[in-house]
Amino acid sequence: MSVKMHHASTMCWRYHRKITATIIVFSALYFFVSITLTKKNLSNEGVQGSNLETFHERKGVRERGEEHHQGKNPSRKIHRIPHNALPAEGIKGLAKGAQRGQVKQKEEEFSSSSTSSSADSPGHKQSDAKPSKKFPQAIIIGVKKGGTRALLKFISLHPDVAAAKQEMHFFDRYYDKGLEWYRWSAWLDEHG
Ligand SMILES: Nc1ncnc2c1ncn2[C@@H]1O[C@H](COP(=O)(O)OS(=O)(=O)O)[C@@H](OP(=O)(O)O)[C@H]1O
């Protein structure tokens, strides 16, 4: 028994450095992993927190706006961004994907139509020889994912309705281009 104990203690003593080194390595690894995970959690919480903050800020702004509209607190004013705050380049930059291409094409057509007669310009059909296009008589205003596209589709089912082929974004993106641009590029279908 005592021989066995002696043998075990000798083995422990022989390998104690390796055992200690292994323990130190694993502890360091554990320490490193826990610090990394904690940092990750903290940054996630930070993101969520800032999202919530933004949400509450927006909610607050909206509520203040409503109060202002309802006359509950007339001293608080809503600060609106003036329509000309964005330079034309910025507005162009907002157009994305396919729409960017369509807008560019429309701009080119528009500029060529202003330099040459409408009958000569390549983007014009024969029906565009009319002096001007009408402004829309109704406008659908909605938030993203608010179902505006569906509403437009439903309204367009009526035979007396001539609808824009796609969302115009005149008031939020292309306002600086002016009413003439809007009227010309109202992208109404052929009845427009
Ligand atoms: N009647 C009705 N009931 C419930 N949900 C509806 C309805 N009409 C449209 N939708 C859903 O609205 C989403 C599209 O809204 P928008 O056309 O405004 O979207 S967009 O922001 O202009 O792209 C789109 O949601 P997602 O499918 O989740 O994208 C539509 O499915």
Side-chain angles (χ1 to χ4, degrees), residues 4 33 38 56 60-61 82 121 134 137 148 158 162-163 183:
K4 274 187 180 174
V33 169
T38 312
H56 287 301
V61 166
S121 47
K134 285 179 192 169
Q137 290 171 296
T148 46
H158 195 282
R183 175 156 62 176

Side-chain angles (χ1 to χ4, degrees), residues 142-151 154 167:
V143 293
K144 265 190 177 241
K145 296 287 169 197
T148 46
R149 206 178 291 267
L151 180 60
F154 288 134
E167 293 174 20

Side-chain angles (χ1 to χ4, degrees), residues 58-77:
R58 285 183 188 155
K59 193 164 172 275
V61 166
R62 201 168 56 232
E63 280 167 358
R64 281 200 296 278
E66 281 164 7
E67 278 175 13
H68 178 74
H69 275 295
Q70 290 160 6
K72 283 183 185 165
N73 191 352
S75 63
R76 285 184 171 165
K77 287 183 181 172

Side-chain angles (χ1 to χ4, degrees), residues 99-159:
Q99 204 172 26
R100 181 185 293 158
Q102 286 156 356
V103 169
K104 200 165 172 4
Q105 190 191 343
K106 284 285 167 194
E107 281 170 358
E108 283 163 8
E109 289 173 11
F110 181 61
S111 51
S112 68
S113 76
S114 53
T115 51
S116 61
S117 74
S118 62
D120 294 341
S121 47
H124 280 218
K125 291 181 286 185
Q126 203 58 33
S127 60
D128 287 346
K130 286 185 286 185
S132 63
K133 286 194 173 190
K134 285 179 192 169
F135 285 116
Q137 290 171 296
I139 296 170
I140 298 173
I141 299 170
V143 293
K144 265 190 177 241
K145 296 287 169 197
T148 46
R149 206 178 291 267
L151 180 60
L152 179 66
K153 288 274 174 206
F154 288 134
I155 292 176
S156 307
L157 290 176
H158 195 282

